[in-house]
Structures are given as structure tokens and as C-alpha cells.
Amino acid sequence: MYKYDSYDQAMVDTRVEEFRDQTRRRLEGKLSEEQFRPLRLMNGLYLQLHAYMLRVAIPYGTLNSAQMHALADIAEKYDRGYGHFTTRQNIQYNWIKLEEAPDLLADLAKVEMHAIQTSGNCIRNISSDHFAGVAADELIDPRPYAELLRQWSSFHPEFSFLPRKFKIAVIAAEKDRAAMKLHDIGIQIVERNGEIGAAFYVGGGMGRTPMIAPCIREFVPLDQLVTYAEACLRVYNRYGRRDTKYKARIKILVHELGAEEYTRQVEEEFTHLLEQGVEPPLAELERIKPYFADPAFETGLPTEIDRSDPDFALWVDTNTHPHKAPGYVSAVISLKPVGGIPGDASTEQMHLMAELSKEYSFDESRVTHTQNIVLPHVKIADLHALWTRLDAAGLGSPNLDTIEDIIACPGLDYCSLANARSIPIAQQISERFAKKGRTQELGELKLKISGCINACGHHHAGHIGILGVDKKGVENYQLLLGGSEAEDTALAKITGRGFDEEGIVNAVETVTDIYLDQREEGERFLDTYRRIGMEPFKEALYGE
Amino acid sequence: MANEVSETDFGTSPDDVQFRFRDDEVADHAQVTVDSFLEQTNAVAVRIEPGDDARDLLPFLDRLQLVEVNFPVFGDGRGYSSARVLREAGYTGELRAVGDIGIDQLAYLRRCGFDAFAPEAALDEEDAQAAFARWDNVYQHAADARRPIPELRHE
């Protein structure tokens, strides 16, 4: 794992002092709320329906146990004993007092963490593959590149007042576990003629106008990576729309200019910037890499387990992922208990996950963009002991990538932008399917719920998506089918008119019935939908 | 309209400059718009608005003594790119940030090459000096001469 040196620590400590000073000026009335707003946002502090919400950055989703313990302590000390893991591998606290926020940030800085640029119109936390450095299908660990970009983007003087927020994801496998093409910039580390470089996908995003990012450069040499990103940003900062925030994301610019013209301008700027020497030395990348070196895996480990307990066997089948080292797997802790709030973890659960990561996973855990936690390096022989302890703490749900593994935004229960509640819909759906015992039968089914068109719950990318809207003062839910955030990225389509709260849960059941009825051998819900199209689902939903 | 600009009192005057990081005399020239500047062969001062393309000025850098970059609202960050573009092209004259500028933009503006500041509302002197001095180090290259951390690590 990356470790701060004295420079990194000083930057974070200085930021705490800066924010403390900003808060002081706000409380003294030297800053109006209008002036303070973008400053607090650039430090992850939102004013929500009931209180301030603070979003803490978890760079590329990687945590050590001291950090996870600290997140648990913060939940206890400053919140109500909970934290909420997000779709960009961060954590949010929903009940923060402004006066206490500087102290909270100081506590974070003690464990090499921060809330820098987790909101605001700037470059946000860099996300990555939650199986980085572990997955058998990966070219190379993408996190050193993400760390390089984290540093470059932190307090970037030119790009701190962009037209709109800017999200970057970095992956290094053909299989996309980070929704890379739905980011403002998606970077895939690739190999060409034995040389490592980066493919740039620019202009993807969800929100009210979902777009899949086109590839604008198939290969950027590693010693020009930051320079190319800088060129992409400069063209955006110059020409991105500022007349309406709904058209201000880079996806709109790329769409309106056309990918070809945008690329031409980026290349022109890139040529210019190459002469400016903005690239960090390659030695810096080499300095970062060893921090992500493999831990000391044992060899000669058993690879067989006792599957006589069916509950345990089910969990192993559903919640573990192949590891590159023999005798190990990655274990995924589901934060989606039936009827629970997707992505929430209590103080006690966070402490437990921290302990387990130390005991069983070389002191490391990861946050997934699907709001779960990964213990990346678990010995197969330890799985039963691990599962027993997880299960006792309500963390043993065997439902990864199933219809119970729902992504949901905070919705109208917390968010001031939302039109409808998301959490109760997620709870009702997971309860309905769990009760019927149909979850396993349905197999891989990614269901995602957003409480408004800003799409924080990724409904466009769900095999089944749900979008909450306001219909004359009443919550109404639209149903979407056929989206995917994986390497076969696709945007879901609306089935037709919306449903009320009970109706949407019934509608989800109706479309899964069609799937079960029509699926062919080995087909997932998404595959069946792609084969038979929207019509059979529509007919079942709306009749006639 | 009270805030309408006439051609005669366009731009800021030396009196409006609250912070300056240059030893030469404060440039005191009536500024013109980028469009006017491109038409006048004798103008030495220009004011860049957010929608202007600073690259249009590049052929004329040797006769420019003052470039003023206006920030009508601080959240519109196009002026940061304008400043860097000018410095990258070798402009060494005064680069003055004007308009809706607060304490918390100063450090970023300075790094992008601004060396004079004429905020619309005067800033608290102490808070401003603290802001200019806050960051001992920086993570990335910009228009100032500061060597970023990734380079310092490999000296």
C-alpha cells in the first residue's frame, strides 16, 4: 500500500489548517455561505437535508486496517455510529457539524487520509479496479498510475474551478470493474509491442445525459501520461460549457465538438505541453510502484475446502474471486444485508472488518464501486473461519452480484437533490426476492437505483435500473433494462410509464419472471434481454 | 446601468491593485478588449474576459506591458488557463487578476502566473498574506518556478 512521505503528510496537514481557517472565516462572517460553499465542497462537505455530509476520499479504494479503524472511530465520534461507502470507493458521513469538521479532518490526516477534492468542480478522487494487483486477468497493477494522478490532481492550480466535476478511473485489465467508460476520463493501462502505456477514453458519464466515452488515444507512453491528462483538462477548462450546469460536463463538450475535433484540440495542446516539461520524472512512478508490491504470499497452500456446510459453500461460490497466487482468493464482504441500507456499515462492523483484514488479508481491504468491501488476499484455508466471524456480525450475506447486491444512492432520505426515496425501494426488493428464495436462481443481476436524474445510483448502467422521479408531488419510479457498466458498457432503456412504490417492486418481479421463463442455458438476465429485446418485457409489464 | 463599462475607464487602475509581486513600476495603461487590441497596433494593455482565447495574443507579446484577466465570478476558472498559456508562451509583463477574487483563490492564481491582484472588494491583509504563504510545496508544475514534490524527491 502507498505510504505518505514527509511531503505528502505536510500537504494533508496544511490542508487541514487551510480548512480550519476557512471554517473560522465562515463562522466569523467574513465569508458568505455563497463564498464558502465551493470551498467546503472542495473539501467534501455538503449541506444536505438534515445536516452536513462529509465525503472522505479513499484513493483507488485501498485501505489498511489502521485507516478502517479510524473511519469507524470517526463514525462513533462525529456521526451516529455509521458510515456509508459510495459508488466511487469513498465513504460518507451524514450527520456532521460544521464546527467539528476541521477536527475530523485532523483525525483523518493522522492515518494518511483526507477529504480533498471529494466534491466541487475539480478533479475528484481517482478510482480503480477493486481487484487491482490481485486479479488473474490483469496486465499490471493500475494503482501506481492512479497514485501518480492523485498527486498531480491535488490542488491543481489551473483545474480547481472547472465547468463541472471531473472523475477519473484507471484500470489495467480487459474486464472493467470500475465503470471506466462512464467516467470523464477513463484510463486503461495497456501493452503495445512490449511497452506499457495508457489508452484514454474521454467524455463518458451518467447523470441526466448518459454517454459512453470514446477512445481518443489508444496509446500514450508512460512518460507522457500526466501531460496528456493535462491537455485533456485544458481543452475542457477552456471550452466546456458554463452557461448551464446541466451541460457543463466534458461529455457534452466531446459530444458537441465531436470526438474527432476534441481529440485534434487535445493533441495540439499536448504537443505544446510536451515542451513545457510538466511531466513528473519517471523515477517517481518507479518510487511509487514498490508500495504496491505483492505481500509475502505463502506457497504450497491447500486449495480445497470442506464444503459440507451449505451456507458456507454458497458464500464461497458467490462472494469470492480468483486470486493470482495459488491457495488464495479475494473475499468480498457484502454490505447489502437483506432489508438493509446498501453500503452502510456500523462502527462495530468497520472495526471488525479492520481486524479481519489484519488477520486474514495482509492488513489490506478495498472498497468496491458496488459499495462492498474486499479482503483481497485471503488464504482459502482461512475462509471458513473468516466467514463464521462475518456471518455472526451480519456481514455474511451470500449475494454478491445478485439482485440483492443493489447500488442505491442516499435518495430523498438524505439528499437535497433527490426527487424520490431510493433506500426503501432497495430494501423492499431485497426482502421480496430473499423471501421467495429466488436470489440464487436469478444469478448475476445488477440492479441500480437513483433517486433523481443525477444518477448517483448508476441506474443507466443497471441490468435493471430504477429512476425515482417526482410526478406532481408523488414519488414515481421508472424502470430501465439492459444497461451495463462492465467492458460491454451499455446504457439501459426505459420500459415505459412509471410505477408507484409498490408497483415498481412488482414490476421488477415481473421482468425477472420473463427472464426465468425465457432464458437459455447459461444466460444471465442481461444476455436474455439482449437476445429477446424489450418487447416481451413491455408486454408483461403493460399488457395489451 | 451602473456597471456599464465605457471605453475611457475600462479596466483597473494602479490604485486598484492590492497585491503585487513585481519590482517594476505599476503598469498604468488604459486597457482594451482583446478584439480591439487585435485591431490596434499601438495598444500595450489588454483585458481578457473569460470567453476570450489568450492564444490570439501570442503574436503580440513583445509589445504587451499589462494583461488583465477578469474573473466576473470566481467559479469561472477559464482565466487560470489564459494566464498559464501566456506565461508558457514567454510573456513576462504584468499579469493582473481582477474581479471576483477571494482569499482562497490567491494561491492558485499565483501559481498560474498572476503577479498582480486587483480584487473587486479589498481583501483582509493578514488573511491574504497567510494564503500566499500557506503551501510550502506543490505537487505539479504550473507557471511559477516552483519545483514540484515529485521532482524534489529525486534530487
Side-chain angles (χ1 to χ4, degrees), chain A residues 350-396:
Chain A
M350 284 189 263
H351 280 308
L352 176 68
M353 291 191 287
E355 281 162 29
L356 294 174
S357 76
K358 185 154 196 169
E359 245 171 279
Y360 296 114
S361 185
F362 293 94
D363 202 35
E364 191 177 330
S365 53
R366 312 275 181 85
V367 184
T368 76
H369 88 272
T370 51
Q371 306 177 283
N372 296 309
I373 302 293
V374 173
L375 300 184
H377 322 286
V378 179
K379 282 182 207 163
I380 289 171
D382 286 338
L383 280 173
H384 193 270
L386 171 66
W387 171 76
T388 306
R389 289 173 66 184
L390 285 173
D391 203 41
L395 291 168

Side-chain angles (χ1 to χ4, degrees), chain A residues 99-168:
Chain A
E99 312 83 83
E100 293 182 353
D103 291 335
L104 193 168
L105 296 178
D107 286 357
L108 280 175
K110 286 178 199 150
V111 290
E112 304 182 7
M113 294 187 80
H114 60 76
I116 296 162
Q117 291 168 211
T118 53
S119 179
N121 295 335
C122 50
I123 303 171
R124 303 289 188 87
N125 185 37
I126 315 285
S127 60
S128 188
D129 185 341
H130 49 256
F131 291 132
V134 180
D137 63 341
E138 155 183 288
L139 174 67
I140 192 170
D141 191 333
R143 291 173 300 169
Y145 309 94
E147 173 57 27
L148 192 74
L149 290 167
R150 181 191 75 84
Q151 295 185 27
W152 160 74
S153 60
S154 294
F155 317 112
H156 197 295
E158 185 178 346
F159 306 133
S160 289
F161 297 94
L162 293 167
R164 200 78 176 84
K165 58 188 168 183
F166 204 93
K167 301 176 183 179
I168 301 176

Side-chain angles (χ1 to χ4, degrees), chain A residues 301-307 312 316 326-328 379-383:
Chain A
L301 294 172
T303 54
E304 294 301 312
I305 45 167
D306 176 1
R307 297 174 56 93
F312 170 60
V316 169
Y328 288 87
K379 282 182 207 163
I380 289 171
D382 286 338
L383 280 173

Side-chain angles (χ1 to χ4, degrees), chain A residues 522-542:
Chain A
E523 272 186 346
R524 301 169 301 161
F525 178 90
L526 182 63
D527 302 321
T528 302
Y529 169 82
R530 284 176 172 169
R531 179 173 54 79
I532 68 178
M534 180 68 97
E535 276 316 306
F537 295 98
K538 266 180 129 157
E539 205 180 301
L541 287 167
Y542 305 108

Side-chain angles (χ1 to χ4, degrees), chain A residues 308-440:
Chain A
S308 54
D309 179 341
D311 290 342
F312 170 60
L314 175 62
W315 181 80
V316 169
D317 291 341
T318 316
N319 288 39
T320 63
H321 188 267
H323 195 291
K324 65 183 181 183
Y328 288 87
V329 290
S330 296
V332 186
I333 302 171
S334 170
L335 297 184
K336 315 290 174 66
V338 172
I341 298 175
D344 266 19
S346 68
T347 296
E348 296 75 25
Q349 288 176 328
M350 284 189 263
H351 280 308
L352 176 68
M353 291 191 287
E355 281 162 29
L356 294 174
S357 76
K358 185 154 196 169
E359 245 171 279
Y360 296 114
S361 185
F362 293 94
D363 202 35
E364 191 177 330
S365 53
R366 312 275 181 85
V367 184
T368 76
H369 88 272
T370 51
Q371 306 177 283
N372 296 309
I373 302 293
V374 173
L375 300 184
H377 322 286
V378 179
K379 282 182 207 163
I380 289 171
D382 286 338
L383 280 173
H384 193 270
L386 171 66
W387 171 76
T388 306
R389 289 173 66 184
L390 285 173
D391 203 41
L395 291 168
S397 302
N399 57 12
L400 192 72
D401 290 337
T402 69
I403 196 163
E404 294 173 20
D405 187 9
I406 297 169
I407 288 182
C409 69
L412 198 52
D413 291 302
Y414 294 99
C415 179
S416 53
L417 301 174
N419 297 124
R421 290 164 304 146
S422 305
I423 293 168
I425 304 298
Q427 291 169 320
Q428 288 173 52
I429 291 172
S430 69
E431 279 168 353
R432 169 85 60 100
F433 283 86
K435 200 168 161 193
K436 294 203 170 214
R438 195 169 281 176
T439 301
Q440 305 307 328

